[in-house]
Amino acid sequence: MTSRNVSCFPEARKVAIFGGTHGNEMSGVMLVNMWKKNGAEIQRNGMVTKPFITNPRAVEKCTRYIDTDLNRAFTPENLSGPWDEGLPYEVQRAKEINQMFGPKGSPDAYDVIFDLHNTTSNMGSTLILESSTDHFNLQMVHYIKKSIAPASCAVLLNEHPHLKYSTSRSVAKHPIGLEVGPQPQGVLRSNIFESMRDILKHALDFIELFNTGVEFPPCAVDVFKVIERVDYPRDANGNITAMVHPHLQDCDWEPLNPGDPMFQTFDGRAVPYQGSSPVYPTFINEAAYYEKQQAFVITRREMLAATAIRKSI
Amino acid sequence: MTSRNVSCFPEARKVAIFGGTHGNEMSGVMLVNMWKKNGAEIQRNGMVTKPFITNPRAVEKCTRYIDTDLNRAFTPENLSGPWDEGLPYEVQRAKEINQMFGPKGSPDAYDVIFDLHNTTSNMGSTLILESSTDHFNLQMVHYIKKSIAPASCAVLLNEHPHLKYSTSRSVAKHPIGLEVGPQPQGVLRSNIFESMRDILKHALDFIELFNTGVEFPPCAVDVFKVIERVDYPRDANGNITAMVHPHLQDCDWEPLNPGDPMFQTFDGRAVPYQGSSPVYPTFINEAAYYEKQQAFVITRREMLAATAIRKSI
Ligand SMILES: [Zn+2]
Ligand SMILES: [Zn+2]
């Protein structure tokens, strides 16, 4: 069978759905809280699907985080360092989550963690992968994209050596982020909520099918690969001196060509993109990224090949 | 001259522009900070126009407020009570602002205060009045509406005995709110920023014309009058059990008729509006109003008559 180049994975029996990794991203918070009360729609045969609020104190205050960004806190140093009551809340929380759903990198870790996020950017539904060689996840996103058509769903690949970060979901063997927007922080929009819910349904269906022994044939997945972070123009004091240009605002996933305007200064001057070839910006004007010195990220489009997969016997 | 029913007001020489009354409403914050550096575009003959950040600590943290909503803090009790270091930050701040720009209700108070706000609701540009009988302000909003056409600008009148609140701008003789959306909290959108800037320009032009002695003839102003606040459906614990219905979301200022869906429960049921006549909802799904138990406000449309005005001699 390996001659046909089929990747084999154990059944995925332990699945978690994280909401509230950022406490003001309401779709994930509300879905997870709903499923904690009644999980019928996320139950599948032979699987345990655990809905879980990762940052309850941030959810309570409807803020992104209390002390530090939880979705950057799952570093080896944080996870392996000694416990201390004086640690930032989210570092304590990362250690607890790692015990419950990991340990990260161990055989005991959860098979799949979906982490539900919202963005203020006009990204639509986006699945976020951390590896171009996790064929289980590639097959899953391929399945989801097919299942939700004619609705669409972009795939963002972030395995950039410097721009990749230590996510909550990275505790799992197969981490997958689901980012849906545009939705303001602290707001619940029914269209965004229902899109997220629908994608989760298909994702769980995929895992159930996989567990029953279905073999998924090789496929290709269209992804947007993170290449570079672009900051706002700033003055000597670090204050921004320009806004995302109206021609770029809300144009996530559309090509930005050399010479196209990126920013508009407060005195009305356009700042053009000066790269040498077209790129695909995304996370354009995300509220949470002003403090991270990021106006948007630049991606390039790539086709990734996924091998056939089935469960190991 | 009074036989022609002309209302006379003193020249408006002291004008302030407030930004950051809510620290995460970025258009006002950025405009005011820009004008503090270079105020050329807000200067007019014979007037002092002071750009001012009302809640600098909230701006610093990019949050709505620190201890309590500044835009509800200008109550007689707060303004007249004794100073105490233990008072909530915004109450201290209200007392300071009242000293600088008021005292509220006194002859020394600023003539006009514009208070710049953003909303996550799809309200477009909205001027907010606190009185139906302030003919100076009615003439100003009439002038602005004419000047920005074909762009449009709604006028919201909040003089409801229970729903009116004690705003920062209420310190002035002629308080006027400018609310522009949709813009997520913590985000600066160029279109919203420029709309706000343009309205301010025309507002200042109006005051300058008035001060030079121009008489403004009687006019009628189309306003939306606040009638009622509508909360989300909630369970016994106070948690919301429904979202704004997709047919209502983003439909600020459009008629809501008896039987039209208002909410969609998490299990997919529509909750209809049960009033007896059409109303005009606004502030639909504003992020900051979840904690205020408000999904939207209901308004009724009215024509207000403004008398002619000119400056007193
Ligand atoms: Zn997030
Ligand atoms: Zn506001």
Side-chain angles (χ1 to χ4, degrees):
Chain A
M1 300 288 269
T2 46
S3 64
R4 291 201 294 110
N5 195 21
V6 178
S7 300
C8 292
F9 296 91
E11 287 182 16
R13 300 245 163 245
K14 292 197 295 184
V15 174
I17 304 174
F18 284 179
T21 288
H22 297 129
N24 54 11
E25 295 174 4
M26 300 304 287
S27 302
V29 170
M30 300 306 288
L31 281 169
V32 165
N33 278 333
M34 183 180 81
W35 290 327
K36 283 173 70 177
K37 278 190 209 146
N38 180 354
E41 78 182 59
I42 56 169
Q43 282 157 20
R44 295 293 185 280
N45 284 326
M47 292 159 57
V48 172
T49 306
K50 187 172 174 60
F52 187 75
I53 295 287
T54 47
N55 196 333
R57 282 186 54 198
V59 168
E60 173 79 26
K61 292 188 68 173
C62 197
T63 185
R64 185 173 173 89
Y65 56 77
I66 302 295
D67 294 325
T68 186
D69 192 334
L70 179 62
N71 211 32
R72 306 292 183 276
F74 289 75
T75 61
E77 304 72 48
N78 283 347
L79 299 184
S80 65
W83 180 269
D84 185 323
E85 285 297 331
L87 288 171
Y89 171 68
E90 280 83 3
V91 175
Q92 296 185 13
R93 196 68 189 146
K95 293 168 98 59
E96 290 169 0
I97 291 167
N98 189 47
Q99 289 309 309
M100 296 174 70
F101 296 94
K104 184 169 170 172
S106 80
D108 288 340
Y110 264 55
D111 296 298
V112 180
I113 296 177
F114 297 100
D115 196 16
L116 307 186
H117 291 262
N118 294 117
T119 174
T120 63
S121 305
N122 187 29
M123 291 169 66
S125 298
T126 304
L127 293 159
I128 308 185
L129 299 181
E130 309 194 351
S131 160
S132 57
T133 56
D134 178 342
H135 296 281
F136 180 89
N137 268 356
L138 288 172
Q139 287 283 357
M140 177 152 56
V141 305
H142 179 72
Y143 179 91
I144 293 168
K145 282 167 76 85
K146 269 197 324 185
S147 304
I148 67 168
S152 71
C153 180
V155 181
L156 182 67
L157 171 65
N158 189 354
E159 57 181 2
H160 189 286
H162 306 305
L163 300 181
K164 185 174 176 172
Y165 44 85
S166 302
T167 59
S168 307
R169 58 193 176 265
S170 67
V171 164
K173 290 168 186 154
H174 305 292
I176 190 153
L178 176 51
E179 185 82 65
V180 191
Q183 183 172 269
Q185 296 174 347
V187 167
L188 182 66
R189 289 180 64 97
S190 59
N191 60 331
I192 304 290
F193 177 93
E194 296 296 351
S195 295
M196 190 173 260
R197 188 179 195 172
D198 192 50
I199 286 174
L200 252 292
K201 172 197 161 349
H202 295 298
L204 296 169
D205 289 350
F206 168 84
I207 301 173
E208 185 177 39
L209 282 173
F210 172 82
N211 284 346
T212 62
V214 170
E215 181 174 313
F216 294 85
C219 66
V221 183
D222 184 13
V223 305
F224 293 87
K225 183 173 177 173
V226 173
I227 298 297
E228 193 184 336
R229 162 200 295 164
V230 178
D231 190 16
Y232 295 90
R234 293 178 191 264
D235 65 18
N237 300 318
N239 299 314
I240 70 169
T241 57
M243 305 170 276
V244 169
H245 194 279
H247 289 178
L248 178 59
Q249 178 70 50
D250 302 329
C251 297
D252 301 71
W253 310 122
E254 292 176 27
L256 178 71
N257 295 297
D260 285 350
M262 288 191 301
F263 296 108
Q264 180 168 290
T265 65
F266 295 140
D267 48 10
R269 200 168 39 82
V271 179
Y273 174 58
Q274 301 199 303
S276 55
S277 61
V279 289
Y280 296 85
T282 195
F283 276 117
I284 298 171
N285 208 353
E286 158 58 41
Y289 290 170
Y290 282 78
E291 69 174 26
K292 298 193 198 293
Q293 273 80 51
Q294 181 181 301
F296 54 91
V297 289
I298 278 175
T299 72
R300 290 195 192 278
R301 212 162 169 172
E302 276 187 19
M303 290 301 280
L304 293 184
T307 63
I309 67 164
R310 67 173 155 69
K311 71 169 172 176
S312 16
I313 301 169
Chain B
M1 298 290 270
T2 45
S3 64
R4 291 201 294 110
N5 196 20
V6 178
S7 301
C8 292
F9 295 91
E11 287 183 16
R13 300 244 163 246
K14 292 196 295 182
V15 174
I17 303 174
F18 284 180
T21 287
H22 298 130
N24 54 11
E25 296 175 3
M26 300 303 286
S27 302
V29 170
M30 300 306 286
L31 281 169
V32 165
N33 278 332
M34 184 180 79
W35 289 328
K36 283 172 71 176
K37 278 188 210 147
N38 180 353
E41 78 182 60
I42 55 170
Q43 282 158 20
R44 296 293 185 280
N45 283 326
M47 293 160 55
V48 172
T49 306
K50 187 172 174 61
F52 187 75
I53 296 288
T54 47
N55 196 334
R57 282 185 55 200
V59 169
E60 174 78 29
K61 293 187 69 174
C62 197
T63 186
R64 185 171 172 91
Y65 56 77
I66 302 296
D67 294 324
T68 187
D69 193 334
L70 179 61
N71 211 31
R72 306 291 183 276
F74 289 75
T75 61
E77 303 73 45
N78 283 346
L79 299 184
S80 65
W83 179 270
D84 184 324
E85 285 298 330
L87 288 171
Y89 171 67
E90 280 84 3
V91 175
Q92 295 186 13
R93 196 67 189 147
K95 293 167 99 56
E96 290 168 0
I97 291 167
N98 188 48
Q99 288 310 308
M100 295 174 70
F101 296 93
K104 184 169 169 173
S106 80
D108 288 341
Y110 264 56
D111 296 297
V112 181
I113 295 177
F114 298 100
D115 196 15
L116 307 185
H117 290 261
N118 294 117
T119 174
T120 64
S121 305
N122 187 29
M123 290 169 66
S125 297
T126 304
L127 292 160
I128 308 185
L129 299 182
E130 311 193 351
S131 160
S132 57
T133 55
D134 178 342
H135 296 280
F136 180 88
N137 268 355
L138 288 172
Q139 286 283 357
M140 177 153 56
V141 305
H142 178 73
Y143 179 90
I144 293 169
K145 282 167 77 84
K146 268 196 325 183
S147 304
I148 67 168
S152 71
C153 179
V155 180
L156 183 67
L157 170 65
N158 189 354
E159 57 181 3
H160 188 285
H162 306 306
L163 300 180
K164 185 174 177 173
Y165 43 85
S166 303
T167 59
S168 308
R169 58 191 175 266
S170 66
V171 165
K173 290 168 185 153
H174 305 290
I176 190 153
L178 175 52
E179 184 82 65
V180 191
Q183 182 172 270
Q185 296 175 346
V187 167
L188 181 66
R189 289 180 64 98
S190 58
N191 59 331
I192 303 291
F193 177 92
E194 296 296 350
S195 296
M196 190 173 259
R197 188 179 195 172
D198 192 49
I199 285 174
L200 252 292
K201 172 196 160 351
H202 294 298
L204 295 170
D205 289 350
F206 168 84
I207 300 173
E208 186 178 37
L209 282 174
F210 172 83
N211 285 346
T212 61
V214 170
E215 181 175 314
F216 295 85
C219 66
V221 183
D222 183 14
V223 306
F224 293 87
K225 183 174 177 174
V226 173
I227 297 297
E228 192 184 338
R229 163 199 294 164
V230 178
D231 191 15
Y232 295 89
R234 294 179 190 262
D235 66 17
N237 300 318
N239 299 312
I240 69 169
T241 56
M243 303 169 277
V244 169
H245 194 280
H247 289 178
L248 178 60
Q249 177 71 49
D250 302 328
C251 297
D252 302 72
W253 310 121
E254 293 177 25
L256 178 72
N257 295 297
D260 285 350
M262 286 191 302
F263 296 108
Q264 180 169 290
T265 64
F266 295 140
D267 49 11
R269 199 166 40 82
V271 179
Y273 174 59
Q274 301 198 303
S276 55
S277 61
V279 289
Y280 296 85
T282 195
F283 276 117
I284 298 171
N285 207 353
E286 158 58 42
Y289 290 170
Y290 282 77
E291 69 173 26
K292 297 191 198 293
Q293 274 79 51
Q294 180 179 303
F296 54 91
V297 289
I298 278 175
T299 71
R300 292 197 192 276
R301 212 162 170 174
E302 278 188 16
M303 290 301 281
L304 294 183
T307 63
I309 67 164
R310 67 174 156 70
K311 71 169 172 176
S312 16
I313 301 169

